[in-house]
Amino acid sequence: MTTATGYNFAYLDEQTKRMIRRAILKAVAIPGYQVPFGSREMPLPYGWGTGGIQVTASVIGSADVLKVIDQGADDTTNAVSIRRFFARTAGVATTRRTTEATIIQTRHRIPETPLREGQILVYQVPIPEPLRWLEPRESETRKMHALADYGVMHVKLYEDIARHGRIATSYDYPVLVNDRYLMRPSPIPKFDNPKMHMNPALQLFGAGREKRIYAVPPYTKVVSLDFEDHPFEVQRWDDCCALCGAADSYLDEVITDDRGGRIFVCSDSDYCTGRIGP
Amino acid sequence: MNETPLLRVTGLSRYYGERVGCRDIDFDLWPGEVMGIVGESGSGKTTLLDCLSGRRPPSAGRVEFTLRDGSQVDLFAMPEPRRRLLMRTDWGIVHQNPRDGLRMGVSAGANVGERLMAVGRRNYRQIRGAAAAWLEKVEIEAGRIDDQPTTYSGGMLQRLQIARTLVSGPRLVFMDEPTGGLDVSVQARLLDLLRGLVTDLGLAAVVVTHDLAVVRLLAHRLMVMRRGEVVEAGLTDQVLDDPHHPYTQLLVSSILQT
């Protein structure tokens, strides 16, 4: 693909990238803390990954290999267009293979293949503030973070158990990072929460509309909130993947016809393809 | 233990620019004692209560509280995390409008359990058990524990707010017009309930109201406020039966005699 001319490397100008890198450095230094930054207008609508794109644009170099996933898949609209965006504006190599990528921008999933040191996982975040649902005032939520005043977060989990008999929150499940900051892991399924814990890769979170960046550095403790008598647990399925037979991956339900036919397939398309074989 | 007052207020003033919210308030509150504050609207009752309960910094003066270990702390000099912890454990605030004190979006059980979870209780069954026990104490049916407060009547909301406040076993409760906006029979039941709880738990309380019947029932001591200043203070029955200050005389004589 030809590289677009007339744009700076990776679209954003250098001053903006410096500003975002400063925010990222601060975020890495204080795991889980939301750093405000001057979010820019990007050539795609809010909610499509403007935060993630800005973070990726600031950390990407010409030697990087980029992978973009949307709900685990490499071939959905959002993933394809963001991948092409960076191929055109930065001329970087792109891949669908988790193991080959140095930067993975993701929406709503963490790849099944374990990440390694040196890789960067960039999350697109719609709402960064975990306390927002119970406290609408920003001044107050900041104070609650500053004082680590997080007890009320369990009210939400209590309410889940009272209504459903178990913790029914299944995505964007709140976590405590490094025993200090409460963090929203973006709308990944809670199936992926354990993968964040002590992950060797650097995890960066960008919220474009809300203008916040936060991070989980490599090998950082990430604990999902729970009750003693209702411990945190991940989703399980009775089926395995209809394509590759995997029993250990996050499965999507796919409707195959209008007579009630349905199959379960891996949501991580690269993992599934890799298991089927070349 | 009983030699230091639970709450000691000295020279408390609060100004809003040129205007006076309340001026030069001094009093001691002893453990287990209920103090009533009465006065017409605009007399500075709520300003005083906000200052006492740490929600509004005073312009001058001190509010000292005696902790469980017997040491005294200055409310506005202590670090904020400790003040927040204090407000959630040793203190309770009952708002005039229960919607201000409750979380309307979550069930009654979660409302009552919130303070327990906020101080670190993490066992669902115990939290729920405590919530159910408190709902029973304030005469709310156990079957309504999972209902939203929006489905409750006004009197039930106020009782739910009281349960939510008392669940952490506070030693001092601030009440702002606890019976405001309720009809007479519900008021009577609520007062009965409050009086029982205050006696059983040995709570100290500061009750702000414009209803003299409420203080006669609940309060041991009474302060009458006017234009931000205390014009008369003393034992409730004494003040109400033998008012000295002309304003108190006016206040007492303005009650409809039946």
Side-chain angles (χ1 to χ4, degrees), chain B residues 207-226:
Chain B
V207 183
V208 160
T209 181
H210 57 247
D211 188 344
L212 291 181
V214 171
V215 287
R216 199 187 271 278
L217 261 169
L218 281 180
H220 304 130
R221 279 201 297 150
L222 188 62
M223 293 200 308
V224 183
M225 287 187 74
R226 190 187 185 203

Side-chain angles (χ1 to χ4, degrees), chain A residues 1 16 18-19 40 48 50 82 109 129 131 144 154 157 161-162 167 169 174 179 182 191 203 212 236 238:
Chain A
M1 190 178 296
T16 301
R18 285 182 62 178
M19 174 270 292
R40 299 290 189 255
W48 287 31
T50 50
I82 292 176
R109 274 315 305 281
E129 180 51 72
L131 301 164
M144 290 165 88
H154 275 80
L157 303 180
I161 303 174
I167 300 176
T169 305
D179 297 323
L182 190 68
F191 180 87
Q203 303 174 68
R212 293 288 184 278
R236 305 204 178 287
D238 296 332

Side-chain angles (χ1 to χ4, degrees), chain B residues 70-167:
Chain B
S71 61
Q72 280 191 315
V73 287
D74 183 348
L75 192 60
F76 293 95
M78 69 196 292
E80 174 129 19
R82 278 192 67 200
R83 186 159 76 224
R84 285 192 167 214
L85 183 68
L86 187 72
M87 288 175 83
R88 273 202 301 246
T89 51
D90 265 5
W91 286 16
I93 297 171
V94 175
H95 297 262
Q96 176 174 12
N97 184 347
R99 285 168 186 82
D100 295 341
L102 292 169
R103 230 175 253 294
M104 297 303 283
V106 300
S107 68
N111 265 298
V112 180
E114 178 176 330
R115 279 181 156 227
L116 297 177
M117 293 183 254
V119 295
R121 293 271 289 273
R122 292 289 177 266
N123 188 306
Y124 174 79
R125 207 141 27 96
Q126 287 173 10
I127 293 166
R128 196 173 168 81
W134 267 102
L135 288 182
E136 197 191 312
K137 275 188 213 173
V138 297
E139 298 166 17
I140 294 175
E141 285 170 56
R144 302 210 55 178
I145 186 168
D146 290 331
D147 289 354
Q148 303 280 316
T150 41
T151 65
Y152 280 25
S153 69
M156 283 171 81
L157 282 176
Q158 196 57 280
R159 277 177 281 147
L160 179 62
Q161 194 194 185
I162 290 164
R164 170 186 159 94
T165 307
L166 297 186
V167 68

Side-chain angles (χ1 to χ4, degrees), chain A residues 212-271:
Chain A
R212 293 288 184 278
I213 285 174
Y214 49 103
V216 176
Y219 302 110
T220 303
K221 193 173 165 193
V222 178
V223 180
S224 306
L225 301 185
D226 60 1
F227 283 103
E228 288 161 3
D229 44 352
H230 285 268
F232 172 79
E233 50 190 22
V234 299
Q235 297 100 325
R236 305 204 178 287
W237 290 264
D238 296 332
D239 300 82
C240 49
C241 174
L243 301 179
C244 73
D248 58 349
S249 75
Y250 188 82
L251 300 179
D252 283 338
E253 186 177 13
V254 178
I255 293 171
T256 51
D257 53 39
D258 59 1
R259 292 184 302 280
R262 58 193 60 196
I263 55 169
F264 286 91
V265 296
C266 291
S267 111
D268 186 338
S269 58
D270 168 57
Y271 181 74

Side-chain angles (χ1 to χ4, degrees), chain B residues 1-253:
Chain B
M1 163 90 201
N2 279 0
E3 281 157 20
T4 49
L6 190 62
L7 195 72
R8 166 164 283 169
V9 182
T10 34
L12 190 77
S13 303
R14 168 75 204 197
Y15 299 98
Y16 299 105
E18 292 288 297
R19 236 167 251 124
V20 177
C22 60
R23 179 155 52 192
D24 287 336
I25 313 284
D26 297 281
F27 72 92
D28 289 345
L29 186 72
W30 298 85
E33 187 181 39
V34 179
M35 166 78 87
I37 301 175
V38 293
E40 61 195 1
S41 60
S43 60
K45 304 186 301 271
T46 302
T47 298
L48 176 60
L49 194 76
D50 283 353
C51 291
L52 293 181
S53 58
R55 288 173 299 167
R56 195 187 292 279
S59 312
R62 287 158 68 86
V63 179
E64 286 162 302
F65 182 71
T66 308
L67 299 174
R68 277 171 208 260
D69 62 9
S71 61
Q72 280 191 315
V73 287
D74 183 348
L75 192 60
F76 293 95
M78 69 196 292
E80 174 129 19
R82 278 192 67 200
R83 186 159 76 224
R84 285 192 167 214
L85 183 68
L86 187 72
M87 288 175 83
R88 273 202 301 246
T89 51
D90 265 5
W91 286 16
I93 297 171
V94 175
H95 297 262
Q96 176 174 12
N97 184 347
R99 285 168 186 82
D100 295 341
L102 292 169
R103 230 175 253 294
M104 297 303 283
V106 300
S107 68
N111 265 298
V112 180
E114 178 176 330
R115 279 181 156 227
L116 297 177
M117 293 183 254
V119 295
R121 293 271 289 273
R122 292 289 177 266
N123 188 306
Y124 174 79
R125 207 141 27 96
Q126 287 173 10
I127 293 166
R128 196 173 168 81
W134 267 102
L135 288 182
E136 197 191 312
K137 275 188 213 173
V138 297
E139 298 166 17
I140 294 175
E141 285 170 56
R144 302 210 55 178
I145 186 168
D146 290 331
D147 289 354
Q148 303 280 316
T150 41
T151 65
Y152 280 25
S153 69
M156 283 171 81
L157 282 176
Q158 196 57 280
R159 277 177 281 147
L160 179 62
Q161 194 194 185
I162 290 164
R164 170 186 159 94
T165 307
L166 297 186
V167 68
S168 64
R171 294 186 300 150
L172 175 57
V173 178
F174 298 97
M175 296 187 227
D176 191 0
E177 304 274 6
T179 55
L182 301 177
D183 65 57
V184 183
S185 63
V186 177
Q187 270 191 26
R189 271 180 67 200
L190 187 75
L191 283 174
D192 213 32
L193 177 78
L194 271 177
R195 195 160 61 155
L197 288 172
V198 166
T199 322
D200 290 351
L201 303 169
L203 286 177
V206 178
V207 183
V208 160
T209 181
H210 57 247
D211 188 344
L212 291 181
V214 171
V215 287
R216 199 187 271 278
L217 261 169
L218 281 180
H220 304 130
R221 279 201 297 150
L222 188 62
M223 293 200 308
V224 183
M225 287 187 74
R226 190 187 185 203
R227 294 183 188 155
E229 286 175 351
V230 174
V231 294
E232 189 163 357
L235 296 175
T236 305
D237 291 339
Q238 215 170 12
V239 174
L240 292 184
D241 295 341
D242 180 21
H244 285 208
H245 192 274
Y247 175 70
T248 317
Q249 288 167 356
L250 183 77
L251 202 67
V252 172
S253 63

